């Protein structure tokens, strides 16, 4: 049965990558912490998300002994392919920019590894415990009001609270509007996010720009592939049949020209409105934000989980210094340090959105934008300096 009441030096809301990396790093340094997670354990293991880990993310996890699973079962990836009205081309970014690569490792497996490591070390976690609100974050006695799965109310007292519970979680809701500024952009683009029981059809991440909309191909394992299809805003995720999805993917990815896609059962689908969202600052008194609670980024550049791990390491170091050495330097600089990385990632994500999505109209403005997008793609195809810039930003975080 979930614990409804308790206390810890650091109460962490959410058992995603940010929350679990933070919990492991604090526990290793002897800081008393607990993780409160709304979902049950079974749901946590089944929650499929992004799977592209940047080189710096792998270094962070490896540095703290948290990378055994991904180093054993993940595989490196270094190539992306663009398909456009002007043909196709590949970029092997391992030889460009800083010469770094991605590691493909499904997020649910990373979360499972982090959770196992945390529990094996004696870490505390309360599943089925929903954080309702963070109380008195700017006062002397911060706490988190919770509700268990059976409806029992409770309260966790804390010295610090780490909000790693997403953009709709209690951490964000608990910050007064006058204490934070929200920067939001709706990019006006919607994707169907699809998970198929089908082997990858390309040896690369595939980005297809077509007059009917964007299509994307991202391998997850030797038997599972993630696809994306641009659709009209408001399209229900279950409104397209499997056959229609595969036919549209074939069309947009040029199956007639470049070879058919390997088809399989669509086992997961969702509608994704591409949005960007950042809060400033990422601290309100004793409450700190990390992961999607700090910033939401579109999936166009695979930065979300990587930012979460980076922020968790910075926050862990800051809290350890403050709690064990009475050094507040890290907690005071945490927000500014994270926001510099967040805005850099947001800028590249926005660049990718404009690269991959043409304007749908036939008016002068749409025609102009499509020509500039086409020119940008041509530059990426032919310019070594542009390719180096792309590689550095694509893998970096």
């Amino acid at each position: 049965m979930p614990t409804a009441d308790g206390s810890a030096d650091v109460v962490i809301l959410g058992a995603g990558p940010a929350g679990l990396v933070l919990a492991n790093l604090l526990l290793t340094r002897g800081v008393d912490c607990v993780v409160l997670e709304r979902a049950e354990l079974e749901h946590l293991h089944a929650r499929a998300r992004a799977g592209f880990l940047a080189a710096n993310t792998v270094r962070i996890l490896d540095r703290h002994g948290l990378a055994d699973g991904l180093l054993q079962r993940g595989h490196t990836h270094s190539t992306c392919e663009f398909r456009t009205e002007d043909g196709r081309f590949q970029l092997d970014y391992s030889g460009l920019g800083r010469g770094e690569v991605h590691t493909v490792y499904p997020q649910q497996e990373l979360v499972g590894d982090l959770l196992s490591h945390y529990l094996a070390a004696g870490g505390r976690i309360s599943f089925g415990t929903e954080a309702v609100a963070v109380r008195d974050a700017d006062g002397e006695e911060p706490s988190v009001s919770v509700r268990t799965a059976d409806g029992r109310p409770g309260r966790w007292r804390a010295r610090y609270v780490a909000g790693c519970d997403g953009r709709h979680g209690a951490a964000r809701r608990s910050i007064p509007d006058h204490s934070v500024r929200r920067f939001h952009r709706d990019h006006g683009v919607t994707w169907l996010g699809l998970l198929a029981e089908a082997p990858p059809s390309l040896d690369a991440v595939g980005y297809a720009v077509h007059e009917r909309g964007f299509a994307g191909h991202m391998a997850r394992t030797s038997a599972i592939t993630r696809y994306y299809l641009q659709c009209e805003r408001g399209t229900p995720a279950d409104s397209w049949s499997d056959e229609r999805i595969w036919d549209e993917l074939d069309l947009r990815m040029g199956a007639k020209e470049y070879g058919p896609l390997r088809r399989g059962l669509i086992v997961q689908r969702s509608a994704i409105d591409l949005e960007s969202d950042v809060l400033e600052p990422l601290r309100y008194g004793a409450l700190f934000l990390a992961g999607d609670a700090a910033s939401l980024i579109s999936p166009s550049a695979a930065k979300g989980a990587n930012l979460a791990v980076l922020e968790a390491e910075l926050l862990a170091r800051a809290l350890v210094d403050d709690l064990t050495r009475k050094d507040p330097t890290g907690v005071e600089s945490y927000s500014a340090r994270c926001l510099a990385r967040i805005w850099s990632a947001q800028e590249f994500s926005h660049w990718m959105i404009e690269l991959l999505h043409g304007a749908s109209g036939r008016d002068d403005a749409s025609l102009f934008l499509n020509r500039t997008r086409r020119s940008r793609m041509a530059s990426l195809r032919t310019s070594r300096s542009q390719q180096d810039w792309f590689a550095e930003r694509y893998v970096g975080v």
Side-chain angles (χ1 to χ4, degrees):
M1 180 177 293
T3 303
D5 296 282
S7 65
D9 283 339
V10 181
V11 173
I12 301 167
L13 311 184
L20 289 174
V21 169
L22 176 61
N24 274 288
L25 300 191
L26 292 177
L27 188 64
T28 298
R29 297 297 300 273
V31 172
D32 177 35
C33 62
V34 66
V35 179
L36 308 182
E37 168 57 44
R38 179 178 61 180
E40 299 294 345
L41 176 60
E42 297 77 13
H43 178 72
L44 205 65
H45 283 301
R47 196 160 56 188
R49 297 286 176 84
F52 266 58
L53 300 180
N56 188 56
T57 303
V58 175
R59 285 192 291 268
I60 290 172
L61 295 171
D62 192 31
R63 181 160 61 238
H64 298 290
L66 301 173
D68 289 352
L70 70 90
L71 292 176
Q72 293 173 8
R73 300 188 298 276
H75 63 274
T76 58
H77 189 89
S78 64
T79 308
C80 51
E81 178 172 305
F82 296 90
R83 298 182 176 184
T84 75
E85 62 269 51
D86 296 315
R88 65 173 174 170
F89 65 97
Q90 286 194 350
L91 291 181
D92 180 357
Y93 49 87
S94 66
L96 299 167
R98 295 195 180 101
E100 295 180 327
V101 300
H102 285 107
T103 297
V104 181
Y105 193 61
Q107 182 170 309
Q108 65 269 27
E109 294 192 30
L110 175 62
V111 166
D113 294 345
L114 294 170
L115 180 59
S116 296
H117 193 279
Y118 179 63
L119 294 176
R124 291 191 291 162
I125 184 167
S126 183
F127 293 106
T129 302
E130 180 182 5
V132 177
V134 180
R135 309 289 186 188
D136 300 315
D138 61 340
E140 296 297 321
E141 298 182 353
S143 65
V144 180
S145 297
V146 302
R147 181 171 51 243
T148 62
D150 59 3
R152 290 181 298 126
R155 179 185 179 216
W156 279 85
R157 297 177 302 279
R159 294 179 65 182
Y160 287 114
V161 178
C164 308
D165 53 344
R167 66 182 298 207
H168 300 300
R172 267 200 177 204
R173 295 197 307 267
S174 300
I175 301 177
D177 291 341
H178 63 79
S179 299
V180 69
R181 183 171 181 184
R182 180 189 183 200
F183 297 87
H184 179 83
R185 179 176 177 83
D186 184 335
H187 297 280
V189 175
T190 298
W191 288 353
L192 288 180
L194 310 160
L195 203 64
E197 288 184 344
S201 298
L202 288 76
D203 58 358
V205 173
Y207 298 109
V209 180
H210 191 274
E211 62 181 5
R212 292 174 64 91
F214 166 75
H217 164 287
M218 291 83 177
R220 283 294 178 262
T221 70
S222 60
I224 299 291
T225 306
R226 179 167 288 282
Y227 285 95
Y228 293 108
L229 266 177
Q230 186 179 353
C231 62
E232 292 185 5
R233 179 63 56 89
T235 300
D238 59 355
S239 63
W240 288 31
S241 68
D242 282 19
E243 183 178 11
R244 181 184 178 188
I245 287 170
W246 286 114
D247 287 347
E248 195 68 25
L249 285 169
D250 274 345
L251 176 65
R252 298 188 194 182
M253 300 202 72
K256 287 184 178 180
E257 296 88 345
Y258 309 123
L261 302 177
R262 297 175 177 177
R263 298 192 175 197
L265 180 67
I266 306 294
V267 295
Q268 186 183 99
R269 57 179 75 197
S270 60
I272 306 166
D273 296 333
L274 268 59
E275 298 177 85
S276 297
D277 199 275
V278 182
L279 256 61
E280 291 189 5
L282 304 181
R283 178 188 183 186
Y284 174 64
L287 171 60
F288 295 83
L289 303 180
D292 285 354
S295 67
L296 178 72
I297 192 165
S298 82
S300 60
K303 301 294 186 187
N306 295 294
L307 283 172
V309 172
L310 172 70
E311 292 155 8
E313 185 188 42
L314 291 173
L315 183 54
R317 188 180 303 149
L319 293 176
V320 167
D321 285 348
D322 186 72
L323 292 168
T324 65
R325 298 171 47 215
K326 308 301 181 184
D327 180 359
T329 305
V331 295
E332 291 172 355
S333 64
Y334 168 75
S335 180
R337 294 182 69 187
C338 288
L339 285 168
R341 299 293 191 100
I342 287 170
W343 281 115
S344 177
Q346 290 283 3
E347 187 277 328
F348 180 72
S349 173
H350 183 66
W351 184 90
M352 284 288 287
I353 290 171
E354 292 189 332
L355 179 75
L356 300 176
H357 301 89
S360 59
R362 302 298 299 173
D363 56 284
D364 288 346
S366 296
L367 293 174
F368 181 88
L369 289 173
N370 280 328
R371 285 295 184 181
T372 57
R373 178 198 56 76
R374 194 168 177 177
S375 177
R376 180 178 294 178
M377 191 70 77
S379 180
L380 187 59
R381 179 200 295 261
T382 60
S383 169
R384 175 57 190 261
S385 62
Q386 184 74 358
Q387 293 168 359
D388 284 330
W389 175 88
F390 172 84
E392 182 174 329
R393 300 299 301 280
Y394 189 59
V395 189
V397 66

